[in-house]
Structures are given as C-alpha cells and as structure tokens.
Amino acid sequence: MLAQTPPMGWNSWDCYGTAVNEAQVRQNAEYMAKHLKPFGWEYVVVDIQWYNPTSSTHEYEPFAEECMDAWGRFVPAENRFPSAANGAGFGPLADYIHGLGLKFGVHIMRGIPRAAAHRRLPIAESEYTCAEAANPNSICAWNPDMYGTRQDHPGAKAYYDSIFRLYAQWGVDYVKCDDIAREYPHCRREIELISDACRSCGRDIVLSLSPGPAPLEQAEHLKRHANLWRITDDFWDDWQLLKGMFERAGKWCVHAGPGHWPDADMLPVGALRQCYTSHPDGQWTRFTQPEQRTMLTLWCMLRSPLMIGGELTKNDTFTLELLTNGDVLAIGRESFCGHPLYNDGQTCAWLAPRRDGAGAYAALFNLSDRARRVSLDPACVEHGWSLATELWTGIPAKRGLSSRLAPHDAAVWKIEY
C-alpha cells in the first residue's frame, strides 16, 4: 500500500549538493511543516555523501575518508549531523522530522563502499565479508565511492539486508538509490536484491531509483520492484530540458499508477545552488514564472512524484503560491491515465480523467517562443462539460477551453461533466 499517490517532498541536492548539514535539513523540514504540509508535501530527503565529513561544495569528493560502522555501512558524518553522535545515526533527525508530522528519507548508492571491501569488513549478521560480496569491476562512472555487488553471491543479499535493517532502525521512510535506474541489464538483479531488502526490513520504506533515463522496455520490471524511477538524467532549470520532458512524459504516462510512478525528477524552483559563493547561472532558478507553471502542470498531469529542489526558507511569494496551489497539486491524486492529446512542437494538450468519474483535467501548453492563443477542441472531452475552471487563475471558462498564453506558459482546467 506504499506510494498510493505520487510522493511529494523536498530533496537537498539542487540547493546543497553533497554539502547539506543537519541545521539546513531541520530548517527546511520546519518550513515544510508550517507552510506546505497541508497541501500534501511530506518527505524530507537528505541526498548524496552525507557520510563524508569534508564535503563542502555541490561536487562529489572522490576517495574521501568516509564514515562507516564496523560492518561496512555508511553512517552520518557527525561534524555535519551532530545528532548522529554516539552511534545514533540518523535516528534523532528522523525522530525530529517525524515529530513535525513529516517523513524522512536518505540517498544511497548501489553497492558496497570501496573502503569496506578493501578493509574486508564483515557483513552484519552473516558469515560473509564486504570483500567477498563486492565486485571491483562494477564502478559508477561519476562517483567512485562504491563497488557494485557480485549479484549472485549470498553476501550481496546479506549486505543489502543489513543496510535496510539499519535504516529501519533509524526510522527512514524513503530511500533514493542512485547509479541504478538506467544501468540495465547488468543491474537488473541488483535492483531485485535492493527491492527485496527494502520490503523485508520491517518498516514501510518507499524505494526510488535514479538516475534516468530508465529504459522504457523495462517498465514492468521497474513497476514490480520500485515505487518510483527516474525517466531522465538530472533535470535542471533549462527550458530545453523542460521542453524535452514532454516527449518522455508522453511515453511513460501509461505506466503511472498506485505504488509505481515514473519520476520526472526534482522541481528546480526558488533558491538553488546554495553552496556556491558565486555561479555564472546565479543562485535563483533560471526558469521564468510561466515555465514554472508549465513544469508543475506537466508533472501533475503525468502524475510524477514531486520533489522540491530549492532552499525553502528563501521562497518568495510566487514560489510559495506555486507550491501551495492545492487545486493543481490535487491532479496527481485525483486523476488517472493522464496522457497527451497532441504535441505539434509549438503547442501541446493533455487530458486526465478524474477518479470520481465526474469530470477530467485538461491542460494546454504553449511551447513556442511567442505568445499565442491555445485552444482544445470540445470533442476531445468525451462527455462535454457543464463547468470548467482554470486552476492557475481561478477563472471559469465561458465558451470553451482556450487561453492566450505567454511563451512557455500553461493553463489547466478542472472540468465538471
């Protein structure tokens, strides 16, 4: 019964990269609890290299002296996460976030820490060592922290079981596993091991697989073994990436359903890149306000998970209003079978029936670089409609579903039959 609707939350990557610390996680959790929780936002996820005491930028730090326990399992760096002292791990931070009425998540890499294999550390509650279970020929192309596993060796299963037992003890609710979603076919069995460990650890943990693009032909395997999986590589605040997402969303939309969701990646809104002192792209999202409406509308029509990437405490009025438009956010929970009606490269339309059978959602997008009127043929709405309200403006439709849209903007209507 996990992830019956697309998960919604915040992830530290877009704003802090590898360098996020406990104070920053807590301040974002507090903001979410105060301002966003009533609208469905609930997960607070610590992204990559939380076990590295010297991370200070957005970039990975290869071959760092990582923090791990006697069984080769990463533990939080105490200088960055002081509540982890005395072997407490992420337990105290998870307890704090749970106390706010929210849920806690962590990022992991597939495999076994390279250092644990080199030290031949034992695997907890097993007769195997990390060296026996690790595969030195399976290394992530962009982060060398880990070796993949010898997937058919019993030590591989024992290692994954051991880390998920630890996460269950800490109170983790969400695990984002990286370097795996696009790594078919050689990681197919590894996905199954991770999924089995997640589901047998004694705690309900949502499993997310990254990065993409996951292979479309593996959709059924992904649906059996994960709650969400990335359909794209890292998504940033660039219009061409957003425009390209329409094609990906159109291919993957048929695979969205309770418990398994194609993931279009994080929402790069608000204050990004906070660990840069200066950056040529600036620290605020480069998306225009129309582009941000288009992004959130498409994500909701696809029923993608929604993970905010910006530093929440720096939200301006527009960003907060964007993230608290309950009528738009409800599309992901109240619709099914959202799909494109057409995409001619300049304009695009999507339709999503409502679960209650009383109507539908219809979205129109201006993908061009000039303002234009975009309209939907009434025949595209099966039962016709008695009332349609545009959800970004709150304005009822009078004659038809039509709107003059700025470049890269969107409109979406809730239709009553």
Side-chain angles (χ1 to χ4, degrees), residues 11 61 158 168 198 301-302 350 357:
N11 178 292
E61 185 178 341
C198 182
M301 295 296 287
L302 169 63
W350 276 61

Side-chain angles (χ1 to χ4, degrees), residues 92-143:
L93 181 56
D95 288 345
Y96 179 77
I97 289 172
H98 293 156
L100 296 172
L102 304 174
K103 296 180 180 179
F104 178 66
V106 295
H107 172 287
I108 66 170
M109 296 288 292
R110 71 171 176 92
I112 294 173
R114 179 190 293 248
H118 290 178
R119 297 171 194 168
R120 300 184 179 277
L121 295 179
I123 296 173
E125 299 182 33
S126 85
E127 58 186 286
Y128 308 107
T129 67
C130 292
E132 292 173 305
N135 178 6
N137 294 316
S138 177
I139 301 174
C140 174
W142 41 268
N143 182 338

Side-chain angles (χ1 to χ4, degrees), residues 23-312:
Q24 292 158 347
V25 174
R26 287 179 179 244
Q27 72 188 22
N28 279 276
E30 291 161 2
Y31 183 99
M32 182 182 290
K34 182 177 180 181
H35 298 285
L36 304 180
K37 179 185 170 186
F39 299 90
W41 304 96
E42 58 177 346
Y43 289 97
V44 176
V45 182
V46 177
D47 212 275
I48 197 166
Q49 288 197 325
W50 39 267
Y51 40 81
N52 182 357
T54 55
S55 288
S56 60
T57 72
H58 200 280
E59 302 303 320
Y60 307 117
E61 185 178 341
F63 307 110
E65 190 64 32
E66 300 142 340
C67 299
M68 67 180 67
D69 66 12
W71 295 277
R73 302 175 297 192
F74 285 139
V75 295
E78 294 178 14
N79 62 319
R80 293 168 55 196
F81 298 91
S83 70
N86 302 314
F90 272 131
L93 181 56
D95 288 345
Y96 179 77
I97 289 172
H98 293 156
L100 296 172
L102 304 174
K103 296 180 180 179
F104 178 66
V106 295
H107 172 287
I108 66 170
M109 296 288 292
R110 71 171 176 92
I112 294 173
R114 179 190 293 248
H118 290 178
R119 297 171 194 168
R120 300 184 179 277
L121 295 179
I123 296 173
E125 299 182 33
S126 85
E127 58 186 286
Y128 308 107
T129 67
C130 292
E132 292 173 305
N135 178 6
N137 294 316
S138 177
I139 301 174
C140 174
W142 41 268
N143 182 338
D145 289 350
M146 316 292 282
Y147 289 142
T149 65
R150 301 182 191 275
Q151 298 168 34
D152 294 324
H153 190 286
K157 171 176 167 44
Y159 184 79
Y160 282 126
D161 285 345
S162 76
I163 63 171
F164 275 91
R165 284 195 304 269
L166 180 63
Y167 303 153
Q169 292 169 13
W170 286 347
V172 170
D173 306 293
Y174 181 109
V175 167
K176 173 186 174 182
C177 183
D178 217 335
D179 188 37
I180 199 163
R182 68 184 177 205
E183 300 302 320
Y184 285 89
H186 71 273
C187 283
R188 182 183 180 92
R189 176 60 181 151
E190 200 140 18
I191 289 172
E192 294 169 2
L193 292 173
I194 292 167
S195 177
D196 290 346
C198 182
R199 293 173 179 179
S200 63
C201 70
R203 182 177 178 83
D204 288 340
I205 297 179
V206 168
L207 180 60
S208 166
L209 304 182
S210 285
L216 186 61
E217 65 271 17
Q218 297 295 337
E220 296 307 318
H221 187 258
L222 289 160
K223 287 155 71 173
R224 285 196 301 273
H225 295 288
N227 299 115
L228 51 147
W229 58 90
R230 286 265 297 280
I231 64 173
T232 178
D233 203 341
D234 284 6
F235 177 78
W236 281 98
D237 45 340
D238 179 290
W239 168 246
Q240 292 305 316
L241 293 179
L242 177 51
K243 188 175 182 180
M245 193 66 73
F246 281 84
E247 180 180 0
R248 296 183 186 277
K251 292 177 178 178
W252 277 102
C253 61
V254 296
H255 296 291
H260 48 82
W261 307 103
D263 180 7
D265 201 14
M266 287 179 280
L267 302 167
V269 298
L272 309 175
R273 299 175 281 264
Q274 295 300 287
C275 52
Y276 288 105
T277 53
S278 64
H279 191 277
D281 296 325
Q283 294 181 319
W284 195 259
T285 183
R286 294 172 295 176
F287 277 141
T288 65
Q289 291 185 3
E291 289 166 353
Q292 291 176 70
R293 281 190 292 270
T294 286
M295 174 175 58
L296 191 55
T297 303
L298 178 62
W299 268 232
C300 289
M301 295 296 287
L302 169 63
R303 293 184 297 162
S304 170
L306 302 176
M307 286 285 167
I308 304 164
E311 167 55 66
L312 296 178

Side-chain angles (χ1 to χ4, degrees), residues 350-369:
W350 276 61
L351 187 70
R354 280 168 38 195
R355 290 182 178 275
D356 61 10
Y361 294 96
L364 292 173
F365 302 92
N366 179 7
L367 307 182
S368 75
D369 296 332

